[in-house]
Each structure stands twice: as structure tokens, then as C-alpha cells.
Amino acid sequence: MSKQLNKKKVPSISQKWLALFNKEKENQWIEKDEDILPYCLKQAIEEVALIVLTDFSGRIVYMSDELLTKLDYLWRDVNGNHYINLIDTASMKENVRKSLHDVLHDGKKRTIETVHRKKDGTSVIFDTTFLPLPQSKPSHDQLFLILHQDTTLLNKAEEMINELVTLDLATGLRNRKQFDQDLANYVRKTENSRKQIAILFLDLDRFKFYNDTLGHVTGDKLIEAISKELKLFENNDVSVYRYDGDEFTVLINESNIGDSGMELAKAILNRFLKPFVVKGNELFITASIGIARCPETGTTASQLVQQAEAAMHYAKERGKGDYQLYFPSLKTHHTEKLLIETRLREALGGNSFTLSYQPQIDLKSKQVVGVEALIRWEDNVLGKVSPVEFIPVAEETGLIVQIGDWVLQEACHQAKIWYDQGFHLRIGVNISPIQFQRPDFVEKVNGILQKTGLPPKYLDLEITENDLLYNRDECYKTLKRLKESGIKISIDDFGTGYSSLSYLRRFPIDTLKIDKSFIKEVIQNINDQAIVTSIIQLAHNMNMRVIAEGVETSDMVAFLNDRECDEMQGFLYSMPLKKEDVIPFINKTEPQKVL
């Protein structure tokens, strides 16, 4: 019995853990060598982590001095309080709040991000790991060891990085990436609600002029000044972004937009009526604005941007310095150009292009001596498209090189077919300035002649006079090499371009083609008569031939014969013909009778 009374009470595992972390009785349970291990573990953990120990209900039974200092608490402030009271759950995401609730009830290890409130009300962010301490068996004595790693500075750094990624550093405005994200989010919110949004697409008018004349530094400063003014229009429902270069977007997020998009556009344009001060100088510039609405005109982010941009271009085409609300039937030169470019690219891979050939007649021999190859395009979507419409787009996009190569190849091939049939017709091919200025142009022409077998003297390259005035030395070298190959050179639309005639004296040119605008009224207009007469005399004095374009009446032929013009082409004899119709037409239609 005495032995029973003197038997030492053995503490439970939970009691040993409590004793281990007890601030007042730290070494109470060290009785054997194996008891030393938990104390070593505690010391190691204290070195690397900020510790809390809670009972099974979540009440704090221990907090390390380091964590108390981090949160600015004293031990008496937290002793016995529920751990969750230290956490700012309102600032945490719903799924994280649920994880926090679960971890305090299911007794499983888990790591979540928590936001703790310091004593002064400020926040600290932790990566928090909950560890149920080992027990011999499940019981209400279960304890939790909670380890904290301070990630506040890391989170702030991530926020700064994210802000920099979505910020335009030159202006301080949000950038295009942020605009795309915000617009996509707002569009999603309109799908299942009556909420509406609108976007404004703003483009500066004549900004390139300032960049080119005042320099890029001044241009950048102007963008900064404009950005500061646009930022003043921001509020809870209006956000301004720098979209790209001299383009800005404005996102209006309202439950009932009404006319607010147009009202905001008017307010912005009113600001542009006043100058922007840049480096002490007052600079005046205008802007054009396009407006699109969701879900009224578009239901996707890409639709809205495209619509607002189209409306902006429409405003520019109407005179700039104005705004335009998008509507479905709105068409702009810009959108038409874009469509033509798209269809041109499609046409290059198919058989949409054809060549027509307009005969050229020697006015002395009254014989067909050549034809001019004229490109024609009939598209499945656009129908017949005039060269006046698609050639400028092709030149602007660089597609003219591929198109020009095809024309040259096709024309020489067809001329060789006629040559083999006994019809030695000179073939005139219009050459784009972009095509002419390429360093491989001469090699490409000679390669096509060699491939098709057409004698070089039957190829007549037609170049407009303006094309010869840029980089004259290179132009001269190119023309000289072409002439050395035996190829003919004509100046197309002569009289409509640059007024200086000095290039005629230097460049090796065979023929001048008088533009049809001078021939059209040559019988009635004495000024046109003087111009045509002068061109013919000038050409003959320089040993060049002359071709008159657009000849449509016998009176015109009589006038040209009187001035000893060499050749003519026009509807009087023939309009452009399909390749299969050229030879039959020549065989049955004698120029002598027609002219």
C-alpha cells in the first residue's frame, strides 16, 4: 500500500508537450535521456520559425518571444485567447478561410497563407503550417504546433512586380495588358446581368508630325503631358490606359451607361482645344475617338476593341478632332483596306489574278506593234476590284513585290507564246517603285526572260517618272543594267509627276507615254494641246518615241498624226483584251480602217 502511495505519477504525452513549451516550468519533465530530444527540437524550431501552440479548441497555450515581438503583443495579451482572433479573416479568400476552419477541426497537417493583425492594427502575412503534435491515441488533449514564415515583404515585392508588368512606365497609366485583362473581366460580368460597359479608343491626330519635326524627345514629353490630363478623367467607373504609342483607351464600367460614353468623349475633346505645355512651348494637337458599347454593339472583348477602333478611323476620315459611336453599317477606308489586304493575301495563293492586254498601234505603219499588260482581280468576296483600289494597298503592305513578280512572269510567258506563233509584239509591263528599287530586281527580270525564252527587246518596262527621283544613282545603275540586257524602258503617265526634266537627259529611256488626262480634252483644250505638242517635240529631240494613251476619237488621231506622235493606245482601236482574244482581234481588225 505504501508502495502504491509513493508511486510517481507518469505525465501524458500532451502534458509533456505543455511542459516543454511552458514558460515558467521549462525543465520539469526531463527525467531520462530520451526526454532531452523534445527540448532540442524546441530549440531548433525556435531558431527557424515563429511558434504558436494551441489546445484542441484552438486556444493559445504558448507563443514564442519572436512571434510576440513580430506582432507587438505581450504574453498576457494572447494567453488563453483563441488563435483565430489574431487572424484578419475578412482579407482572406473564401477558400483559404474554409481551409483555416477545417485545419482546426480535422487534425491534419496543412499550410495556408494567413494575414495576422498586429496590436496597432497593421497586417503581417505568413505562410502558416499547422502540425498536430503526436499523441499515443486520439484524445481531447490534442495539441497543435503552428509555424509561421513572414512573407509580407515577398508579397509586397510580388505586388510591385505585378504593378510594373501592368503599368506603362513612360506615362504612369495602366498599359495594354491591364486593359485587356480588365475589359475581359468586365465583359464576363455583363453576361448574366444588366450591367453595361463602354470603351473609348483615342488616337492622336498628326502626332507623327510633331515627332518628325520636333524630335522624339519632345514627342515623348507630349505623350506624358496628354497622359496626365487624361488621368484626371479617372474615377470609380472610368479607367484610362495607354494602349500603344499615341493611342489610348478608356473603359467605362457602369450599370446604366446611357450617353455617358459620348459625354466623356466630348469632355476629353474639349480638353484638346487647349494647348499642352511641353518644355515651355504650347503645342496644339487634336484627337479622334471611337466608342463601342457592350452588350449593345459587341459581346466580346475583341469585338469591342475592333468596333471602337473602326469608329475612331471613321472620325478621322470625317476630318479628325471628333468622336464617333460605332454602328454595324459603319464602313471606313481603313476597314476596307484591311479587307482588301486580307483578300489579296488569299489571292496570292490562288488564281484570282488575270492579265488583260491593250494593243498599241504604230501611227505611221498602222500596225499593232505591242500590247500593255494590265492586271485584273476578281475576288470571291469583293467581286471585281479596280487596280486603283488594290495596288496602293499592295504597295503599302509589300504584297506588290509578289504580285509584280507574277505579272512579269505571266506577261513574258504570254508574249513568248505569241512570238512563237509569229506575232512579235512588244509587251509593256508596269513596274512598282517598290519592286524597281529592290536590289535583286535586274537579276529577277533577266531570270524570267531566260526562263520564258522571250527575247529581251520585246520587254518594255513602264516606270512612272516620280520613281526615278529617289536615290537617283541607284536608279541610273539599275536602268543601265536593264538596257545592257536589251530591255526597253518607258516613262508611264508622263507629265503628271515631278516637273524637273533633268533626269531625261541622264537616264537611258526609250519611250515617253503621254498620260490620258492630257489626251482626253486635247481637241477642245488649247493648254492640253500645247502640253502634248511640247512632250512630242521634247521626246523626238532626245531620240525617244512617244505613245499617247486614252485615244478614243478619230479627231485625236488626226491631232497626234499632225504632231508626228509615234504610237497610240485607247478604246478607239481596242479596250484591253483577254489573252485568248488578242491574236483573233488583231487578225480581223485592221488599224488602217479603224483609225
Side-chain angles (χ1 to χ4, degrees):
M1 187 72 173
S2 59
K3 287 184 180 180
Q4 250 183 339
L5 292 173
N6 294 329
K7 186 176 181 182
K8 193 171 184 179
K9 185 179 180 181
V10 178
S12 68
I13 293 177
S14 294
Q15 288 174 318
K16 285 193 174 186
W17 282 114
L18 287 171
L20 176 64
F21 288 98
N22 192 303
K23 291 182 175 294
E24 298 172 356
K25 304 176 182 178
E26 287 196 335
N27 297 318
Q28 181 177 351
W29 298 108
I30 301 182
E31 296 178 349
K32 303 176 184 177
D33 288 343
E34 64 260 26
D35 291 332
I36 297 175
L37 181 59
Y39 290 98
C40 295
L41 175 62
K42 177 199 172 188
Q43 294 298 322
I45 295 173
E46 290 279 14
E47 290 292 327
V48 297
L50 306 168
I51 299 173
V52 168
L53 191 68
T54 72
D55 62 17
F56 75 96
S57 68
R59 297 190 180 279
I60 299 171
V61 296
Y62 174 80
M63 182 179 288
S64 65
D65 292 336
E66 290 80 359
L67 183 54
L68 285 169
T69 302
K70 176 75 69 174
L71 298 177
D72 293 334
Y73 286 116
L74 298 175
W75 169 241
R76 65 174 177 267
D77 297 325
V78 299
N79 184 18
N81 287 340
H82 204 290
Y83 173 76
I84 201 168
N85 291 336
L86 299 177
I87 299 176
D88 184 8
T89 55
S91 66
M92 297 166 61
K93 296 179 180 178
E94 178 63 32
N95 62 325
V96 179
R97 286 201 299 270
K98 185 178 184 302
S99 295
L100 178 62
H101 178 270
D102 293 345
V103 77
L104 295 174
H105 290 81
D106 63 13
K108 295 180 180 179
K109 176 185 175 183
R110 193 169 302 180
T111 298
I112 61 175
E113 183 179 85
T114 59
V115 180
H116 283 58
R117 285 190 299 269
K118 297 171 67 174
K119 195 170 185 178
D120 62 4
T122 58
S123 298
V124 183
I125 303 173
F126 293 113
D127 270 349
T128 305
T129 302
F130 296 82
L131 289 166
L133 292 175
Q135 297 281 21
S136 57
K137 59 182 179 178
S139 73
H140 288 296
D141 292 336
Q142 176 73 61
L143 299 176
F144 286 93
L145 180 64
I146 308 175
L147 309 178
H148 304 77
Q149 182 181 4
D150 189 350
T151 59
T152 305
L153 294 178
L154 179 61
N155 276 269
K156 287 182 178 179
E158 289 179 351
E159 288 177 6
M160 290 179 64
I161 291 171
N162 290 333
E163 185 177 351
L164 289 173
V165 169
T166 58
L167 192 70
D168 179 64
L169 298 181
T171 63
L173 295 175
R174 282 160 284 197
N175 62 14
R176 180 172 179 172
K177 179 179 180 181
Q178 186 65 55
F179 169 76
D180 291 339
Q181 291 175 358
D182 291 349
L183 178 58
N185 290 334
Y186 288 158
V187 168
R188 279 195 294 270
K189 291 178 181 178
T190 66
E191 291 176 356
N192 299 313
S193 69
R194 294 183 178 180
K195 199 172 186 64
Q196 301 179 59
I197 61 173
I199 64 171
L200 276 59
F201 198 104
L202 183 151
D203 183 81
L204 302 180
D205 301 323
R206 298 177 68 245
F207 176 73
K208 186 177 183 299
F209 169 78
Y210 284 104
N211 250 0
D212 293 344
T213 56
L214 301 179
H216 289 278
V217 173
T218 300
D220 291 342
K221 292 295 182 183
L222 178 57
I223 290 289
E224 288 181 36
I226 292 171
S227 299
K228 288 180 181 178
E229 294 296 317
L230 291 176
K231 195 169 181 63
L232 297 177
F233 290 95
E234 288 193 323
N235 56 45
N236 290 336
D237 294 318
V238 176
S239 302
V240 179
Y241 308 79
R242 187 184 184 189
Y243 192 75
D244 185 27
D246 61 340
E247 296 174 334
F248 300 85
T249 49
V250 181
L251 181 56
I252 306 175
N253 175 36
E254 292 183 343
S255 58
N256 185 13
I257 288 202
D259 294 331
S260 61
M262 291 182 286
E263 293 302 320
L264 180 58
K266 290 177 184 177
I268 292 174
L269 292 176
N270 282 337
R271 172 57 190 89
F272 277 85
L273 296 176
K274 297 182 292 184
F276 295 91
V277 179
V278 177
K279 298 169 70 173
N281 298 316
E282 291 188 344
L283 300 180
F284 285 89
I285 191 170
T286 59
S288 298
I289 300 176
I291 307 170
R293 294 171 172 174
C294 175
E296 183 178 331
T297 62
T299 55
T300 67
S302 59
Q303 272 183 341
L304 291 168
V305 173
Q306 185 178 10
Q307 291 171 356
E309 189 173 5
M312 178 272 293
H313 284 292
Y314 188 84
K316 277 187 179 291
E317 291 174 14
R318 290 193 311 170
K320 303 181 177 65
D322 201 356
Y323 72 89
Q324 174 63 51
L325 183 67
Y326 176 82
F327 53 89
S329 60
L330 182 147
K331 292 187 181 299
T332 69
H333 182 57
H334 175 80
T335 54
E336 290 175 355
K337 282 173 58 178
L338 184 61
L339 179 58
I340 288 175
E341 178 185 349
T342 302
R343 299 308 302 166
L344 274 176
R345 295 185 186 278
E346 183 83 15
L348 285 170
N351 299 312
S352 300
F353 295 118
T354 58
L355 291 183
S356 292
Y357 302 88
Q358 186 167 37
Q360 297 169 329
I361 297 98
D362 186 303
L363 288 172
K364 293 183 176 62
S365 66
K366 301 296 189 294
Q367 297 294 319
V368 177
V369 293
V371 292
E372 179 181 2
L374 302 168
I375 189 169
R376 297 291 183 260
W377 179 29
E378 185 167 359
D379 182 66
N380 293 334
V381 174
L382 301 175
K384 292 182 179 180
V385 187
S386 167
V388 175
E389 294 181 70
F390 74 81
I391 291 297
V393 176
E395 290 181 332
E396 184 178 329
T397 57
L399 296 174
I400 193 65
V401 175
Q402 291 174 265
I403 295 173
D405 290 348
W406 177 85
V407 171
L408 194 59
Q409 169 74 35
E410 180 68 16
C412 290
H413 172 72
Q414 186 58 53
K416 180 59 166 61
I417 292 176
W418 292 329
Y419 181 87
D420 291 341
Q421 294 174 350
F423 294 87
H424 297 178
L425 300 174
R426 184 187 65 231
I427 186 85
V429 179
N430 292 279
I431 302 298
S432 162
I434 297 174
Q435 189 182 8
F436 178 75
Q437 292 166 13
R438 287 179 64 89
D440 62 344
F441 178 67
V442 177
E443 287 76 10
K444 188 170 288 186
V445 172
N446 286 330
I448 289 174
L449 287 173
Q450 185 176 3
K451 181 178 179 180
T452 59
L454 180 68
K457 67 179 182 178
Y458 292 107
L459 175 60
D460 184 4
L461 300 181
E462 299 184 7
I463 304 166
T464 58
E465 53 187 316
N466 284 348
D467 301 341
L468 302 178
L469 302 177
Y470 302 100
N471 202 355
R472 295 190 183 193
D473 290 338
E474 289 301 317
C475 285
Y476 173 76
K477 292 176 184 177
T478 299
L479 291 175
K480 186 172 182 293
R481 292 174 62 195
L482 292 169
K483 287 294 295 178
E484 288 172 351
S485 298
I487 297 166
K488 304 293 184 184
I489 305 295
S490 293
I491 302 300
D492 195 19
D493 301 334
F494 186 79
T496 61
Y498 193 65
S499 59
S500 174
L501 300 177
S502 60
Y503 70 91
L504 290 178
R505 182 166 47 87
R506 182 183 180 192
F507 292 152
I509 297 165
D510 298 289
T511 306
L512 299 183
K513 297 189 71 175
I514 304 176
D515 187 71
K516 59 185 177 183
S517 62
F518 299 115
I519 302 298
K520 184 178 180 181
E521 297 180 0
V522 72
I523 302 303
Q524 300 85 14
N525 191 314
I526 60 173
N527 290 328
D528 287 345
Q529 293 175 9
I531 290 172
V532 171
T533 301
S534 298
I535 292 174
I536 295 172
Q537 291 176 350
L538 173 68
H540 289 167
N541 289 338
M542 301 184 74
N543 296 317
M544 300 177 191
R545 292 178 63 80
V546 182
I547 300 178
E549 298 181 290
V551 178
E552 298 181 358
T553 67
S554 298
D555 290 343
M556 293 178 182
V557 174
F559 174 87
L560 294 172
N561 278 327
D562 188 56
R563 271 70 176 176
E564 297 185 345
C565 182
D566 299 291
E567 299 177 24
M568 60 78 62
Q569 69 182 81
F571 289 174
L572 176 62
Y573 178 70
S574 174
M575 62 179 59
L577 304 167
K578 294 180 179 179
K579 60 183 179 181
E580 60 268 19
D581 296 333
V582 172
I583 300 305
F585 184 86
I586 291 175
N587 284 333
K588 72 177 183 179
T589 309
E590 298 181 23
Q592 178 70 41
K593 293 181 180 179
V594 175
L595 304 183

